[in-house]
């Protein structure tokens, strides 16, 4: 019986490590970093132009799933301490589901505010228009000449 609990705990920890490795840690989900052949930026990812307008937008706050995984593991471990036989199995499953829901809610509450993002509309030198969304405008103003590199606008 002791080896079963150890096996379950080991599998849960290994699952958490595996799923944690799949989570994205990117702080800028809008920057796609388009590259063409041989690692050089493609023409869609770079160019020169003039800023037409800048608008503030609010990014959607999301969860990475880490809270759900950790909550599910803790809930399963707590539920595994209750009852015996099939009651223990039911308590483990209920604890995992409840813990995952609670962990996801806690993670979502911590990131609920979202953040301000800036949509910069640029008239390119070749006549086309592009919109770039980034987390800061630094010293960029309407009318500035800019260069787009990897989906970000820089003053030129």
């Amino acid at each position: 019986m002791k080896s079963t609990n150890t096996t379950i705990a080991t599998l849960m920890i290994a699952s958490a490590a595996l799923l944690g490795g799949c989570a994205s840690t990117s702080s800028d989900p809008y920057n796609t970093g388009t590259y063409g052949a041989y690692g050089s930026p493609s023409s869609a990812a770079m160019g020169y132009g003039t800023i037409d307008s800048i608008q503030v937008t609010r990014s959607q706050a999301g969860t990475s799933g880490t809270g759900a995984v950790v909550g599910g593991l803790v809930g399963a471990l707590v539920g595994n301490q209750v009852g015996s036989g099939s009651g223990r199995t039911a308590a483990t499953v209920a604890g995992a589901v409840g813990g995952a829901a609670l962990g996801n809610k806690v993670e979502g509450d911590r990131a609920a505010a979202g953040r301000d993002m800036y949509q910069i509309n640029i008239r390119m030198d070749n006549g086309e228009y592009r919109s770039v969304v980034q987390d800061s405008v630094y010293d960029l103003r309407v009318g500035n000449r800019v260069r787009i590199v990897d989906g970000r606008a820089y003053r030129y």
Side-chain angles (χ1 to χ4, degrees), residues 1-7 83-85 88:
M1 192 62 144
K2 185 74 171 169
S3 68
T4 303
N5 290 342
T6 305
T7 304
S84 64
R88 176 176 281 182

Side-chain angles (χ1 to χ4, degrees), residues 50-55 117-123 130-134 136-137 140-141 146 148 152-154:
T50 304
I51 296 177
D52 268 355
S53 65
I54 300 174
Q55 290 135 6
M117 300 295 285
Y118 299 90
Q119 178 179 344
I120 304 168
N121 299 311
I122 302 166
R123 184 175 18 99
R130 290 200 195 149
S131 289
V132 175
V133 179
Q134 56 192 51
S136 174
V137 291
L140 297 176
R141 304 285 181 262
V146 292
I148 299 176
R152 284 190 73 85
Y154 298 96

